[in-house]
Amino acid sequence: MKKTIITVVGKDGVGIIAKICTYLANNHINIEDISQTIVQGYFNMMMIVDTTHIDSFDQLSADLEALGKEIGVQVKCQREEIFNMMHRI
């Protein structure tokens, strides 16, 4: 299984989770784990998703970045192995 870490950060607003999750569902990307919080009006979400069935990580990343701009948040994707290497002590 290939996993990707997706982070979403920005001002809170209606439909952020719905729009990101709809994109993922439409592209056969399963959410393995999700955490979200709102602190003083700022939205933060981290997801671990199964990207085994996608054709292009670069396309996924570009699509989610564009979707984020559309809804006023920043969306970043990292492959799990890269994320783990960056956060290893």
Side-chain angles (χ1 to χ4, degrees):
M1 180 184 320
K2 293 192 294 184
K3 292 184 181 179
T4 297
I5 311 302
I6 299 173
T7 56
V8 182
V9 179
K11 287 261 190 188
D12 188 31
V14 175
I16 296 170
I17 296 171
K19 289 180 181 172
I20 299 294
C21 290
T22 297
Y23 172 87
L24 296 174
N26 288 341
N27 287 278
H28 309 289
I29 298 169
N30 188 44
I31 299 167
E32 298 289 323
D33 202 353
I34 183 171
S35 173
Q36 68 90 29
T37 188
I38 300 165
V39 177
Q40 296 185 4
Y42 291 94
F43 178 85
N44 183 35
M45 178 169 64
M46 181 176 169
M47 309 168 90
I48 301 173
V49 299
D50 177 1
T51 50
T52 302
H53 303 293
I54 65 167
D55 293 328
S56 168
F57 175 84
D58 292 335
Q59 187 64 53
L60 167 69
S61 187
D63 287 351
L64 285 174
E65 187 175 328
L67 178 58
K69 285 181 184 177
E70 192 178 297
I71 61 178
V73 296
Q74 184 180 51
V75 181
K76 296 292 180 191
C77 298
Q78 282 187 295
R79 290 183 173 98
E80 180 186 38
E81 61 272 13
I82 306 262
F83 184 87
N84 287 337
M85 292 297 266
M86 289 177 59
H87 295 90
R88 193 172 57 168
I89 296 177

Coordinates of all heavy atoms in Angstrom, one line a residue:
M1 N 0.8 -1.2 0.0 CA 0.0 0.0 0.0 C 0.9 1.2 0.0 O 1.8 1.3 0.8 CB -0.9 0.0 1.2 CG -1.8 1.2 1.3 SD -2.8 1.3 2.8 CE -3.3 -0.3 3.1
K2 N 0.6 2.2 -0.9 CA 1.3 3.5 -0.9 C 0.5 4.5 -0.1 O -0.7 4.6 -0.3 CB 1.5 4.0 -2.3 CG 2.4 3.1 -3.1 CD 2.8 3.7 -4.4 CE 1.7 3.9 -5.4 NZ 2.0 4.4 -6.7
K3 N 1.1 5.2 0.8 CA 0.4 6.2 1.6 C 0.9 7.5 1.3 O 2.1 7.7 1.0 CB 0.5 5.8 3.1 CG -0.2 4.6 3.5 CD -0.1 4.4 5.0 CE -0.8 3.1 5.3 NZ -0.8 2.8 6.8
T4 N 0.1 8.5 1.5 CA 0.4 9.9 1.3 C -0.1 10.7 2.5 O -1.2 10.4 3.0 CB -0.2 10.5 0.0 OG1 0.4 9.8 -1.1 CG2 0.1 11.9 -0.2
I5 N 0.7 11.7 2.9 CA 0.3 12.6 4.0 C -0.3 13.8 3.3 O 0.4 14.5 2.5 CB 1.4 12.9 4.9 CG1 2.2 11.7 5.4 CG2 1.0 13.8 6.1 CD1 1.5 10.7 6.1
I6 N -1.5 14.2 3.7 CA -2.1 15.5 3.1 C -2.3 16.4 4.3 O -2.9 16.0 5.3 CB -3.4 15.2 2.4 CG1 -3.2 14.2 1.2 CG2 -4.1 16.5 1.9 CD1 -4.5 13.8 0.6
T7 N -1.9 17.6 4.2 CA -2.1 18.7 5.2 C -2.9 19.8 4.5 O -2.7 20.2 3.4 CB -0.9 19.2 5.8 OG1 0.0 19.7 4.8 CG2 -0.1 18.1 6.6
V8 N -3.9 20.3 5.3 CA -4.7 21.4 4.9 C -4.7 22.5 6.0 O -5.0 22.2 7.1 CB -6.2 20.9 4.6 CG1 -7.0 22.1 4.1 CG2 -6.2 19.7 3.6
V9 N -4.4 23.7 5.6 CA -4.2 24.8 6.6 C -4.8 26.1 6.0 O -4.6 26.4 4.8 CB -2.8 25.0 7.0 CG1 -2.6 26.2 8.0 CG2 -2.1 23.8 7.5
G10 N -5.6 26.8 6.8 CA -6.1 28.1 6.4 C -7.2 28.6 7.3 O -7.5 28.0 8.3
K11 N -7.8 29.7 6.9 CA -8.9 30.2 7.6 C -10.1 29.3 7.5 O -10.3 28.7 6.4 CB -9.4 31.6 7.0 CG -8.4 32.7 7.4 CD -9.0 33.5 8.5 CE -8.2 34.8 8.7 NZ -8.6 35.5 9.9
D12 N -10.8 29.1 8.6 CA -11.9 28.1 8.6 C -13.0 28.6 7.7 O -13.2 29.8 7.6 CB -12.4 27.9 10.0 CG -13.4 26.8 10.1 OD1 -13.4 25.9 9.4 OD2 -14.3 26.9 11.0
G13 N -13.7 27.7 7.1 CA -14.9 28.1 6.3 C -15.8 26.8 6.0 O -15.3 25.7 6.3
V14 N -16.9 27.0 5.5 CA -17.9 26.0 5.3 C -17.4 25.1 4.1 O -17.0 25.6 3.1 CB -19.3 26.6 4.9 CG1 -20.2 25.5 4.5 CG2 -19.8 27.3 6.1
G15 N -17.4 23.8 4.3 CA -17.2 22.9 3.2 C -15.8 22.4 2.9 O -15.5 21.7 1.9
I16 N -14.8 22.8 3.7 CA -13.4 22.5 3.5 C -13.2 21.0 3.4 O -12.7 20.4 2.5 CB -12.4 23.1 4.5 CG1 -12.5 24.6 4.4 CG2 -11.0 22.6 4.2 CD1 -11.7 25.4 5.5
I17 N -13.7 20.3 4.5 CA -13.5 18.9 4.6 C -14.3 18.2 3.5 O -13.8 17.3 2.8 CB -14.0 18.3 6.0 CG1 -13.0 18.9 7.1 CG2 -14.0 16.8 6.0 CD1 -13.5 18.6 8.5
A18 N -15.5 18.6 3.3 CA -16.4 18.0 2.2 C -15.7 18.1 0.9 O -15.7 17.1 0.1 CB -17.7 18.7 2.2
K19 N -15.1 19.2 0.5 CA -14.6 19.3 -0.8 C -13.3 18.5 -1.0 O -13.1 17.9 -2.0 CB -14.3 20.8 -1.2 CG -15.6 21.6 -1.4 CD -15.4 23.0 -1.7 CE -16.8 23.6 -1.8 NZ -16.8 25.1 -2.0
I20 N -12.5 18.5 0.0 CA -11.3 17.7 -0.1 C -11.6 16.2 -0.1 O -11.1 15.4 -1.0 CB -10.3 17.9 1.1 CG1 -9.9 19.4 1.2 CG2 -9.1 17.0 1.1 CD1 -9.0 19.8 0.0
C21 N -12.6 15.8 0.7 CA -13.0 14.4 0.8 C -13.7 13.9 -0.5 O -13.5 12.8 -0.9 CB -13.8 14.1 2.0 SG -12.8 14.2 3.6
T22 N -14.5 14.8 -1.1 CA -15.2 14.5 -2.3 C -14.2 14.2 -3.4 O -14.3 13.3 -4.2 CB -16.1 15.6 -2.7 OG1 -17.1 15.7 -1.7 CG2 -16.8 15.3 -4.0
Y23 N -13.1 15.1 -3.5 CA -12.1 14.9 -4.5 C -11.4 13.5 -4.3 O -11.2 12.7 -5.2 CB -11.0 16.0 -4.4 CG -9.8 15.7 -5.3 CD1 -9.8 16.0 -6.7 CD2 -8.7 14.9 -4.8 CE1 -8.8 15.7 -7.5 CE2 -7.7 14.6 -5.7 CZ -7.7 15.0 -7.0 OH -6.7 14.6 -7.8
L24 N -11.1 13.2 -3.1 CA -10.4 11.9 -2.8 C -11.3 10.7 -3.2 O -10.9 9.8 -3.8 CB -10.0 11.8 -1.3 CG -9.0 12.9 -0.8 CD1 -8.8 12.8 0.7 CD2 -7.7 12.7 -1.5
A25 N -12.6 10.8 -2.8 CA -13.5 9.7 -3.1 C -13.7 9.5 -4.6 O -13.7 8.4 -5.1 CB -14.9 10.0 -2.4
N26 N -13.8 10.6 -5.3 CA -13.9 10.6 -6.8 C -12.7 10.0 -7.5 O -12.8 9.5 -8.6 CB -14.2 12.0 -7.3 CG -15.6 12.5 -7.0 OD1 -16.5 11.7 -6.6 ND2 -15.8 13.8 -7.1
N27 N -11.6 10.0 -6.8 CA -10.3 9.5 -7.4 C -9.9 8.2 -6.7 O -8.7 7.8 -6.8 CB -9.3 10.5 -7.3 CG -9.5 11.7 -8.3 OD1 -9.2 11.5 -9.4 ND2 -10.1 12.7 -7.8
H28 N -10.8 7.5 -6.0 CA -10.6 6.2 -5.4 C -9.5 6.2 -4.4 O -8.7 5.3 -4.4 CB -10.4 5.1 -6.5 CG -11.5 5.1 -7.5 ND1 -12.7 4.7 -7.3 CD2 -11.5 5.6 -8.8 CE1 -13.5 4.9 -8.4 NE2 -12.7 5.4 -9.3
I29 N -9.4 7.3 -3.6 CA -8.3 7.4 -2.6 C -9.0 7.3 -1.3 O -9.9 8.1 -0.9 CB -7.6 8.8 -2.7 CG1 -6.9 8.9 -4.1 CG2 -6.7 9.0 -1.6 CD1 -6.4 10.3 -4.4
N30 N -8.6 6.2 -0.5 CA -9.2 5.9 0.8 C -8.5 6.7 1.9 O -7.3 6.7 1.9 CB -9.2 4.4 1.0 CG -10.0 4.1 2.3 OD1 -11.1 4.5 2.5 ND2 -9.4 3.2 3.1
I31 N -9.3 7.3 2.8 CA -8.7 7.9 4.0 C -8.5 6.9 5.0 O -9.4 6.2 5.5 CB -9.7 9.0 4.5 CG1 -9.9 10.1 3.4 CG2 -9.1 9.6 5.8 CD1 -11.1 11.0 3.7
E32 N -7.2 6.7 5.4 CA -6.8 5.8 6.4 C -6.9 6.4 7.8 O -7.3 5.7 8.8 CB -5.4 5.3 6.2 CG -5.2 4.6 4.9 CD -5.8 3.2 4.8 OE1 -5.8 2.5 5.9 OE2 -6.4 2.9 3.8
D33 N -6.6 7.6 8.0 CA -6.6 8.3 9.3 C -6.8 9.8 9.0 O -6.3 10.3 8.0 CB -5.3 8.1 10.0 CG -5.5 8.3 11.5 OD1 -6.5 8.8 12.0 OD2 -4.5 8.0 12.2
I34 N -7.5 10.5 9.9 CA -7.7 11.9 9.7 C -7.8 12.6 11.1 O -8.4 12.0 12.0 CB -9.0 12.2 8.9 CG1 -9.3 13.7 8.6 CG2 -10.2 11.5 9.6 CD1 -10.4 13.9 7.7
S35 N -7.3 13.8 11.1 CA -7.3 14.6 12.4 C -7.5 16.1 11.9 O -6.8 16.5 11.0 CB -6.0 14.5 13.1 OG -6.0 15.4 14.2
Q36 N -8.4 16.7 12.5 CA -8.6 18.1 12.2 C -9.0 18.9 13.4 O -9.5 18.4 14.4 CB -9.7 18.3 11.1 CG -11.1 18.0 11.5 CD -11.9 19.2 12.1 OE1 -11.6 20.3 11.7 NE2 -12.8 18.9 13.0
T37 N -8.6 20.2 13.4 CA -8.8 21.1 14.5 C -9.0 22.5 14.0 O -8.6 22.8 12.9 CB -7.7 21.0 15.6 OG1 -8.1 21.7 16.7 CG2 -6.4 21.6 15.0
I38 N -9.7 23.3 14.8 CA -9.9 24.7 14.5 C -9.4 25.4 15.8 O -9.9 25.2 16.9 CB -11.3 25.0 14.2 CG1 -11.8 24.2 13.0 CG2 -11.5 26.5 13.9 CD1 -13.3 24.2 12.7
V39 N -8.5 26.4 15.6 CA -7.9 27.2 16.7 C -8.1 28.6 16.3 O -7.5 29.1 15.3 CB -6.5 26.8 16.9 CG1 -5.9 27.7 18.0 CG2 -6.3 25.4 17.3
Q40 N -8.9 29.3 17.1 CA -9.2 30.8 16.9 C -9.5 31.1 15.4 O -8.9 32.0 14.8 CB -8.0 31.6 17.4 CG -7.8 31.4 18.9 CD -6.8 32.3 19.5 OE1 -6.2 33.2 18.7 NE2 -6.5 32.2 20.7
G41 N -10.3 30.3 14.8 CA -10.7 30.5 13.4 C -9.8 30.0 12.3 O -10.1 30.2 11.1
Y42 N -8.7 29.3 12.7 CA -7.8 28.7 11.7 C -8.0 27.2 11.7 O -8.0 26.6 12.7 CB -6.3 29.1 12.0 CG -6.1 30.5 11.8 CD1 -6.2 31.4 12.9 CD2 -5.8 31.0 10.5 CE1 -5.9 32.8 12.6 CE2 -5.5 32.4 10.3 CZ -5.6 33.2 11.4 OH -5.4 34.6 11.2
F43 N -8.2 26.7 10.5 CA -8.4 25.3 10.2 C -7.1 24.6 10.0 O -6.3 25.0 9.2 CB -9.4 25.2 9.0 CG -9.7 23.8 8.6 CD1 -10.7 23.1 9.2 CD2 -9.0 23.1 7.7 CE1 -11.0 21.8 8.9 CE2 -9.2 21.8 7.3 CZ -10.3 21.2 7.9
N44 N -7.0 23.4 10.6 CA -5.8 22.5 10.3 C -6.3 21.1 10.2 O -7.0 20.6 11.1 CB -4.8 22.7 11.4 CG -3.5 21.9 11.2 OD1 -3.1 21.8 10.1 ND2 -3.0 21.4 12.3
M45 N -5.9 20.4 9.2 CA -6.3 19.0 9.0 C -5.1 18.2 8.5 O -4.3 18.7 7.6 CB -7.4 18.9 8.0 CG -7.9 17.4 7.8 SD -9.4 17.3 6.8 CE -9.0 18.0 5.3
M46 N -4.9 17.0 9.0 CA -3.9 16.1 8.5 C -4.5 14.8 8.2 O -5.3 14.3 9.0 CB -2.8 15.9 9.6 CG -1.7 15.0 9.1 SD -0.4 15.0 10.4 CE 0.6 13.6 9.8
M47 N -4.2 14.2 7.0 CA -4.8 13.0 6.6 C -3.7 12.0 6.2 O -2.7 12.5 5.6 CB -5.8 13.2 5.4 CG -6.8 14.3 5.6 SD -7.6 14.6 4.1 CE -9.0 13.5 4.2
I48 N -3.9 10.8 6.4 CA -3.1 9.7 5.8 C -4.0 9.0 4.9 O -5.1 8.5 5.3 CB -2.5 8.8 6.9 CG1 -1.6 9.6 7.8 CG2 -1.7 7.7 6.2 CD1 -1.1 8.8 9.0
V49 N -3.7 8.9 3.6 CA -4.5 8.3 2.6 C -3.8 7.2 1.8 O -2.6 7.3 1.7 CB -5.1 9.4 1.6 CG1 -5.9 10.4 2.4 CG2 -4.0 10.1 0.8
D50 N -4.6 6.3 1.3 CA -4.0 5.2 0.5 C -4.0 5.7 -1.0 O -5.1 5.8 -1.5 CB -4.9 4.0 0.7 CG -4.4 2.8 -0.2 OD1 -3.5 2.9 -0.9 OD2 -5.1 1.7 -0.1
T51 N -2.9 5.8 -1.5 CA -2.8 6.3 -2.9 C -2.3 5.2 -3.9 O -1.7 5.4 -4.9 CB -1.8 7.5 -3.0 OG1 -0.6 7.2 -2.4 CG2 -2.5 8.7 -2.4
T52 N -2.6 3.9 -3.5 CA -2.2 2.8 -4.3 C -2.8 2.8 -5.7 O -2.1 2.5 -6.7 CB -2.6 1.5 -3.6 OG1 -2.1 1.4 -2.3 CG2 -2.2 0.2 -4.4
H53 N -4.0 3.4 -5.8 CA -4.7 3.3 -7.1 C -4.6 4.6 -8.0 O -5.4 4.7 -8.9 CB -6.2 2.9 -6.9 CG -6.3 1.6 -6.1 ND1 -6.0 0.4 -6.6 CD2 -6.7 1.4 -4.9 CE1 -6.2 -0.5 -5.8 NE2 -6.6 0.0 -4.7
I54 N -3.7 5.5 -7.6 CA -3.6 6.7 -8.5 C -2.5 6.5 -9.5 O -1.6 5.7 -9.3 CB -3.3 7.9 -7.6 CG1 -1.9 7.9 -6.9 CG2 -4.4 8.2 -6.6 CD1 -1.4 9.2 -6.4
D55 N -2.6 7.2 -10.6 CA -1.7 7.1 -11.7 C -0.5 8.0 -11.5 O 0.6 7.7 -11.9 CB -2.3 7.4 -13.0 CG -3.4 6.4 -13.4 OD1 -3.2 5.2 -13.1 OD2 -4.4 6.8 -14.1
S56 N -0.7 9.2 -10.9 CA 0.3 10.2 -10.8 C 0.3 10.9 -9.5 O -0.7 11.6 -9.2 CB 0.2 11.1 -11.9 OG 1.1 12.3 -11.7
F57 N 1.3 10.8 -8.6 CA 1.4 11.6 -7.4 C 1.4 13.1 -7.7 O 0.8 13.9 -7.0 CB 2.6 11.2 -6.6 CG 2.8 12.0 -5.4 CD1 2.2 11.7 -4.2 CD2 3.7 13.1 -5.4 CE1 2.3 12.5 -3.1 CE2 3.8 13.9 -4.3 CZ 3.2 13.6 -3.1
D58 N 2.2 13.4 -8.7 CA 2.3 14.8 -9.1 C 1.0 15.4 -9.5 O 0.7 16.6 -9.2 CB 3.3 15.0 -10.3 CG 4.7 14.7 -9.8 OD1 5.0 14.8 -8.6 OD2 5.6 14.3 -10.7
Q59 N 0.1 14.7 -10.2 CA -1.2 15.1 -10.6 C -2.1 15.3 -9.3 O -2.8 16.3 -9.2 CB -1.9 14.2 -11.6 CG -3.2 14.7 -12.1 CD -3.0 16.0 -12.9 OE1 -2.2 16.0 -13.9 NE2 -3.7 17.0 -12.6
L60 N -2.0 14.3 -8.4 CA -2.8 14.4 -7.2 C -2.4 15.7 -6.4 O -3.2 16.5 -6.0 CB -2.5 13.2 -6.3 CG -3.0 13.3 -4.8 CD1 -4.5 13.3 -4.8 CD2 -2.4 12.2 -4.0
S61 N -1.1 15.9 -6.3 CA -0.6 17.1 -5.6 C -1.0 18.4 -6.2 O -1.5 19.3 -5.6 CB 0.9 17.0 -5.5 OG 1.4 18.0 -4.7
A62 N -0.9 18.5 -7.5 CA -1.3 19.7 -8.3 C -2.8 19.9 -8.2 O -3.3 21.0 -8.0 CB -0.9 19.5 -9.7
D63 N -3.6 18.8 -8.3 CA -5.1 19.0 -8.2 C -5.5 19.5 -6.8 O -6.3 20.4 -6.7 CB -5.8 17.6 -8.5 CG -5.7 17.2 -9.9 OD1 -5.3 18.0 -10.8 OD2 -6.1 16.0 -10.2
L64 N -4.9 18.9 -5.8 CA -5.3 19.3 -4.4 C -4.8 20.7 -4.1 O -5.5 21.5 -3.4 CB -4.8 18.3 -3.4 CG -5.6 17.0 -3.3 CD1 -4.9 16.0 -2.4 CD2 -7.0 17.2 -2.9
E65 N -3.6 21.1 -4.6 CA -3.2 22.5 -4.4 C -4.1 23.4 -5.1 O -4.4 24.5 -4.5 CB -1.7 22.6 -5.0 CG -1.1 23.9 -4.7 CD 0.3 24.0 -5.1 OE1 1.0 23.0 -5.1 OE2 0.8 25.1 -5.5
A66 N -4.5 23.1 -6.3 CA -5.5 24.0 -7.0 C -6.8 24.1 -6.3 O -7.4 25.1 -6.2 CB -5.7 23.5 -8.5
L67 N -7.3 22.9 -5.8 CA -8.6 22.9 -5.1 C -8.4 23.8 -3.8 O -9.4 24.5 -3.5 CB -8.9 21.5 -4.7 CG -10.2 21.3 -3.9 CD1 -11.4 21.8 -4.6 CD2 -10.4 19.8 -3.6
G68 N -7.3 23.7 -3.1 CA -7.1 24.5 -1.9 C -7.1 26.0 -2.2 O -7.8 26.7 -1.5
K69 N -6.5 26.4 -3.3 CA -6.6 27.8 -3.7 C -8.0 28.2 -4.0 O -8.4 29.3 -3.6 CB -5.7 28.0 -5.0 CG -4.2 28.0 -4.7 CD -3.4 28.3 -5.9 CE -1.9 28.2 -5.6 NZ -1.1 28.4 -6.7
E70 N -8.8 27.3 -4.6 CA -10.2 27.6 -4.9 C -11.0 27.8 -3.7 O -11.9 28.7 -3.7 CB -10.7 26.4 -5.7 CG -12.0 26.6 -6.4 CD -12.4 25.3 -7.1 OE1 -11.6 24.9 -8.1 OE2 -13.3 24.6 -6.7
I71 N -10.7 27.1 -2.6 CA -11.5 27.2 -1.4 C -10.8 28.0 -0.3 O -11.3 28.1 0.8 CB -11.9 25.8 -0.8 CG1 -10.7 24.9 -0.5 CG2 -12.9 25.2 -1.8 CD1 -11.1 23.6 0.1
G72 N -9.6 28.6 -0.6 CA -9.0 29.5 0.3 C -8.1 28.9 1.4 O -7.9 29.4 2.5
V73 N -7.6 27.7 1.1 CA -6.7 27.0 2.1 C -5.4 26.5 1.3 O -5.4 26.5 0.1 CB -7.3 25.8 2.8 CG1 -8.5 26.3 3.7 CG2 -7.8 24.7 1.8
Q74 N -4.4 26.2 2.1 CA -3.2 25.6 1.5 C -3.2 24.1 1.7 O -3.4 23.6 2.8 CB -2.0 26.2 2.2 CG -0.7 25.8 1.6 CD 0.5 26.4 2.3 OE1 0.6 26.3 3.5 NE2 1.4 27.0 1.5
V75 N -3.1 23.4 0.6 CA -3.0 21.9 0.7 C -1.7 21.4 0.2 O -1.2 21.8 -0.9 CB -4.2 21.3 -0.2 CG1 -4.1 19.8 -0.1 CG2 -5.5 21.8 0.2
K76 N -1.1 20.6 1.0 CA 0.2 20.0 0.6 C 0.2 18.5 0.7 O -0.5 17.9 1.6 CB 1.3 20.5 1.6 CG 1.6 22.0 1.5 CD 2.2 22.3 0.2 CE 2.4 23.9 0.1 NZ 2.7 24.3 -1.2
C77 N 0.8 17.8 -0.2 CA 0.9 16.3 -0.2 C 2.4 15.9 -0.1 O 3.2 16.5 -0.7 CB 0.4 15.8 -1.5 SG -1.3 16.1 -1.8
Q78 N 2.6 14.9 0.7 CA 3.9 14.3 0.8 C 3.8 12.8 0.8 O 2.9 12.2 1.5 CB 4.6 14.7 2.1 CG 5.2 16.0 2.1 CD 6.0 16.3 3.4 OE1 5.5 16.3 4.5 NE2 7.3 16.4 3.2
R79 N 4.7 12.1 0.1 CA 4.7 10.6 0.2 C 5.1 10.2 1.6 O 5.9 10.9 2.2 CB 5.7 10.1 -0.8 CG 5.3 10.3 -2.3 CD 6.3 9.6 -3.2 NE 5.8 9.6 -4.5 CZ 6.2 10.5 -5.4 NH1 7.0 11.5 -5.1 NH2 5.7 10.5 -6.7
E80 N 4.5 9.2 2.1 CA 4.8 8.7 3.4 C 6.3 8.5 3.7 O 6.8 8.9 4.8 CB 4.0 7.4 3.7 CG 4.3 6.9 5.2 CD 3.6 5.6 5.4 OE1 3.6 4.7 4.5 OE2 3.1 5.4 6.5
E81 N 7.0 7.9 2.8 CA 8.4 7.6 3.0 C 9.2 8.9 3.2 O 10.2 9.0 4.0 CB 9.0 6.7 2.0 CG 9.0 7.2 0.6 CD 7.7 6.9 -0.2 OE1 6.7 6.5 0.4 OE2 7.7 7.0 -1.4
I82 N 8.9 9.9 2.4 CA 9.6 11.2 2.5 C 9.2 11.9 3.8 O 10.1 12.4 4.5 CB 9.2 12.1 1.3 CG1 9.4 11.4 0.0 CG2 9.8 13.5 1.4 CD1 10.7 11.7 -0.7
F83 N 7.9 11.9 4.2 CA 7.5 12.4 5.4 C 8.2 11.8 6.6 O 8.7 12.5 7.5 CB 6.0 12.2 5.6 CG 5.4 12.9 6.8 CD1 5.0 14.2 6.8 CD2 5.3 12.2 8.0 CE1 4.5 14.8 7.9 CE2 4.7 12.8 9.1 CZ 4.3 14.1 9.1
N84 N 8.3 10.5 6.6 CA 9.0 9.8 7.7 C 10.5 10.1 7.8 O 11.0 10.3 8.9 CB 8.8 8.3 7.5 CG 7.4 7.8 7.9 OD1 6.7 8.5 8.6 ND2 7.0 6.7 7.3
M85 N 11.1 10.2 6.6 CA 12.6 10.6 6.6 C 12.8 12.0 7.2 O 13.7 12.3 7.9 CB 13.1 10.5 5.2 CG 13.2 9.1 4.7 SD 14.3 8.0 5.7 CE 15.7 8.2 4.8
M86 N 11.9 12.9 6.8 CA 12.0 14.3 7.3 C 11.7 14.5 8.8 O 12.2 15.4 9.4 CB 11.0 15.2 6.5 CG 11.4 15.4 5.1 SD 10.2 16.4 4.2 CE 10.2 17.9 5.1
H87 N 11.0 13.6 9.4 CA 10.6 13.7 10.8 C 11.2 12.6 11.7 O 10.8 12.4 12.8 CB 9.0 13.7 10.9 CG 8.4 14.8 10.2 ND1 8.1 14.8 8.9 CD2 8.1 16.1 10.6 CE1 7.6 16.0 8.5 NE2 7.6 16.8 9.6
R88 N 12.2 12.0 11.2 CA 12.9 11.0 12.0 C 13.9 11.7 12.9 O 14.6 12.6 12.5 CB 13.6 10.0 11.0 CG 14.1 8.8 11.7 CD 14.6 7.8 10.7 NE 15.7 8.4 9.9 CZ 16.5 7.8 9.0 NH1 16.3 6.5 8.9 NH2 17.4 8.4 8.4
I89 N 14.0 11.2 14.1 CA 15.0 11.8 15.1 C 16.3 11.0 15.0 O 16.3 9.8 14.9 CB 14.4 11.7 16.5 CG1 13.2 12.6 16.5 CG2 15.4 12.2 17.5 CD1 12.4 12.6 17.8

